[in-house]
């Protein structure tokens, strides 16, 4: 049994006006629904990966600095012994 309900709504992702066939429809189509689902997941992943990238940059800087101060070439120093990621 199908419904004849037609509700004008605004897409919660892109803001486009559309006609919804059910009362619970939030997005104008599958593309917006998928993007809305993936956006917080992507932001969470980026947020959680950023500190690791910063740690690696700091470790590389510290390694280069200590190599400069000790007079030992940076490629001769083994970062795996001091840095655990």
């Amino acid at each position: 049994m199908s419904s004849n309900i037609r509700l004008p709504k605004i897409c919660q992702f892109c803001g486009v006006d559309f006609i919804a066939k059910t009362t619970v429809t939030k997005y104008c189509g599958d593309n917006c629904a998928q993007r809305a689902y993936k956006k917080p997941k992507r932001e969470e992943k980026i947020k959680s990966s950023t500190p690791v990238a910063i740690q690696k940059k700091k470790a590389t800087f510290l390694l280069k600095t200590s190599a400069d101060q000790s007079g030992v070439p940076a490629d001769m120093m083994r970062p795996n012994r001091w840095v655990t990621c």
Side-chain angles (χ1 to χ4, degrees):
M1 192 162 146
S2 66
S3 174
N4 291 332
I5 298 174
R6 300 289 186 249
L7 300 170
K9 288 196 171 190
I10 298 173
C11 179
Q12 290 183 2
F13 186 75
C14 68
V16 173
D17 294 335
F18 70 100
I19 304 296
K21 295 179 183 176
T22 65
T23 58
V24 296
T25 304
K26 297 179 183 179
Y27 308 106
C28 60
D30 289 337
N31 198 16
C32 281
Q34 289 173 354
R35 288 181 181 182
Y37 174 78
K38 289 180 180 182
K39 185 176 180 179
K41 302 244 182 231
R42 182 180 306 115
E43 290 172 354
E44 181 182 327
K45 190 173 184 180
I46 290 170
K47 185 178 177 182
S48 68
S49 67
T50 302
V52 173
I54 292 171
Q55 284 179 342
K56 287 183 180 180
K57 285 182 182 179
K58 284 183 180 178
T60 303
F61 174 75
L62 291 174
L63 180 64
K64 287 181 181 178
T65 304
S66 61
D68 291 341
Q69 291 175 354
S70 67
V72 177
D75 59 341
M76 296 295 290
M77 297 184 88
R78 294 185 187 176
N80 292 338
R81 288 187 180 180
W82 298 298
V83 180
T84 56
C85 296

